[in-house]
């Protein structure tokens, strides 16, 4: 199935353009994905955007704290303007500014909202900044319905490095639901060229399984060991051996846990799965859940796991050339991202079963961001 690009094609950077792009946030996934990625693409293209019906179908409609901070972070990066950027807002307007980028930013979500999703929202923009930028983000690092810090560091960033985006992420302190207060540092280096496409159109054999089992203030309950053991047993039944690094942490502001497992494949690909701890969620259930999720993506013949599948779409649409990869399934999030890159960039996408094809536009901003430090000289 081919999704056709708009006739207008990709829009050049022009913050003075009076026409505003209308995005209905209730379509497709109807989730925060539409808010985050529409803001990011607006910043890249310079196209002002009005997002209506933000998360209108969710249990708590409207923007949450993590969404308002994505909007604020992108506003700061672009020196732009926002309207309606507050918790519970159903309508958000964003007008990019003159792309004045500092070398250091500090953002505190103020809740357990995902620091990883905020980092992924600004990464495409920072990919085209001509100088190194460091960002410190405070909030949650491990929670349900969002990729974890482990997935960002060990799956997404190596994948993006293959495409020409060089970034590093470090965890200064874990953060869990409900208090958050975890800290990550994201450092992005300029690559000086267009992004390269991803070509992973054939299933690859798994060469190695490994993982990380993290717990904070839970040594007396052997949580790290119990999660890892349960995952090992599940994978052993499928004929696989996995080695886990056990991590005991005392720096988090609350007790918490997270487990991640990875499968390294021939050709350099990597699939990941993870699960955060939660009240009344047994360590053994976490271990089995992670192992089964990873096995499900492998058995689907995927070359990108379910989290990477939708997060990479914007980067592939910006790349210079055609990307192809196998995903576990075509989810509403994947459909949302395909829809947005077509609207903002004119990047056509196609689905043939689980094979996704993205025709990248070879994006380069017509007005490169200026170094805010140099601006003061």
């Amino acid at each position: 199935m081919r999704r056709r690009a708009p006739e207008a094609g990709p829009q050049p950077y022009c913050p003075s353009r009076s026409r505003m792009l209308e995005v209905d946030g209730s379509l497709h996934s109807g989730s925060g994905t539409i808010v985050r990625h529409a803001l990011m693409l607006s910043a890249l293209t310079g196209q002002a955007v009005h997002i209506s019906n933000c998360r209108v179908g969710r249990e708590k409609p409207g923007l949450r704290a993590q969404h308002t901070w994505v909007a604020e972070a992108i506003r700061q990066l672009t020196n732009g303007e926002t309207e309606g950027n507050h918790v519970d807002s159903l309508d958000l307007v964003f007008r990019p500014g003159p792309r004045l980028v500092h070398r250091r930013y500090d953002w505190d979500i103020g809740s357990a909202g995902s620091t990883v999703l905020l980092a992924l929202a600004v990464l495409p923009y920072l990919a085209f900044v001509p100088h190194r930028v460091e960002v410190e983000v405070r909030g949650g690092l491990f929670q349900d319905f969002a990729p974890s810090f482990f997935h960002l560091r060990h799956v997404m960033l190596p994948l993006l490095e293959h495409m020409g985006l060089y970034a590093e992420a470090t965890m200064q302190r874990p953060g869990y639901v409900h208090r958050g207060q975890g800290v990550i540092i994201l450092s992005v280096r300029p690559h000086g060229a267009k992004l390269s496409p991803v070509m992973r159109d054939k299933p690859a054999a798994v060469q190695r399984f490994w993982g990380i089992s993290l717990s904070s203030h839970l040594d007396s309950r052997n949580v790290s060991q119990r999660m890892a053991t349960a995952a090992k047993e599940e994978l052993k039944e499928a004929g696989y051996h996995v080695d886990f690094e056990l991590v005991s942490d005392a720096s988090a502001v609350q007790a918490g846990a997270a487990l991640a497992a990875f499968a390294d494949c021939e050709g350099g690909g990597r699939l990941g799965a993870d699960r955060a701890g939660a009240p009344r969620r047994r360590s053994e259930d976490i271990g089995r859940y992670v192992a089964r999720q990873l096995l499900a993506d492998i058995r689907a013949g995927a070359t990108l796991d379910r989290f990477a599948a939708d997060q990479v779409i914007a980067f592939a649409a910006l790349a210079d050339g055609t990307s192809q990869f196998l995903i576990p399934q075509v989810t509403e999030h994947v459909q949302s991202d395909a829809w947005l890159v077509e609207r903002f960039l004119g990047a056509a996408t196609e689905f043939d079963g689980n094979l996704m094809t993205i025709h990248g536009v070879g994006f380069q901003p017509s007005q490169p961001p200026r170094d805010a430090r140099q601006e003061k000289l």
Side-chain angles (χ1 to χ4, degrees), residues 327-360:
I327 62 178
Q329 58 182 321
V330 181
T331 64
E332 289 183 336
H333 288 296
V334 167
Q335 292 174 332
S336 295
D337 288 327
W339 169 58
L340 287 172
V341 298
E342 289 171 4
R343 292 211 66 191
F344 281 92
L345 298 171
T349 61
E350 302 170 28
F351 297 98
D352 182 3
N354 285 14
L355 178 66
M356 185 171 188
T357 301
I358 303 175
H359 301 283

Side-chain angles (χ1 to χ4, degrees), residues 14-22 46-49 93-95:
C14 183
S16 63
R17 186 185 297 112
S18 59
R19 185 176 68 86
M20 183 172 293
L21 189 64
E22 297 288 336
Q47 173 68 68
V49 64
V93 171
F94 173 62
R95 297 181 180 88

Side-chain angles (χ1 to χ4, degrees), residues 25 118 201 251 259 262:
L118 193 156
D201 59 339
S251 67
L259 180 73
F262 306 100

